[in-house]
Amino acid sequence: QGNMAFAGKYEFEGDENYDDFVHKIGLPSDKIEMGRNCKIVTEVVQNGNDFTWTQHFPGGRTTTNTFTIGKEADMETMGGKKFKATVKMEDGKIVADFPNYHHTAEICGGKLVEVSSQISRLVYKEKRKKPN
């Protein structure tokens, strides 16, 4: 199990498919506007498998998640929703399942790269048998 060094302060540089993603996960429009192209600074404090992951938003708002790899922790989404998750380390990436998306974070070329992807949800109804 690789354990990369994540500690540092990282300033937002760019995004791909932001609007599509935040609409799919149901983020309210005021939060979407606040997050669009804003200079979020992510600060990571790491002590072995213990992490404090803080996002500093313009205007002074912050979101902080504290977790230990492999142990369930109380977490909070960008939109302020509280949930429980077990954060894992897979191939040098931090991996967590948020309520309606899958999130990974890794260090690539000295940059913090976070990828969030929507978890698809399939719903099936019972197929009724046709009467004979």
Side-chain angles (χ1 to χ4, degrees):
Q1 177 155 321
N3 205 358
M4 298 184 72
F6 282 84
K9 267 190 171 183
Y10 305 92
E11 186 178 358
F12 174 82
E13 187 175 81
D15 63 48
E16 295 172 21
N17 303 320
Y18 173 79
D19 286 337
D20 188 42
F21 173 73
V22 293
H23 284 295
K24 282 181 179 172
I25 65 168
L27 207 61
S29 57
D30 61 323
K31 300 269 193 237
I32 291 172
E33 284 305 315
M34 188 172 71
R36 180 179 289 116
N37 295 318
C38 75
K39 294 293 183 192
I40 299 170
V41 173
T42 300
E43 185 174 3
V44 181
V45 176
Q46 178 183 2
N47 183 3
N49 284 331
D50 299 326
F51 288 81
T52 301
W53 201 281
T54 304
Q55 289 185 303
H56 301 276
F57 298 89
R61 190 177 82 80
T62 63
T63 299
T64 300
N65 284 310
T66 302
F67 57 89
T68 300
I69 298 296
K71 294 185 182 173
E72 187 176 73
D74 292 313
M75 306 280 277
E76 184 179 346
T77 66
M78 295 188 297
K81 184 176 181 181
K82 309 264 189 218
F83 68 102
K84 290 189 180 296
T86 300
V87 181
K88 300 177 188 113
M89 184 75 71
E90 295 175 1
D91 300 323
K93 294 181 184 182
I94 290 175
V95 178
D97 285 319
F98 280 65
N100 49 3
Y101 60 95
H102 181 75
H103 187 82
T104 65
E106 66 180 315
I107 303 296
C108 287
K111 296 180 182 186
L112 174 65
V113 178
E114 295 182 287
V115 177
S116 297
S117 54
Q118 184 185 16
I119 298 170
S120 65
R121 183 171 167 224
L122 303 175
V123 179
Y124 296 88
K125 67 178 184 175
E126 182 180 2
K127 185 176 179 185
R128 304 247 186 246
K129 292 180 180 160
K130 292 181 183 170
N132 292 341

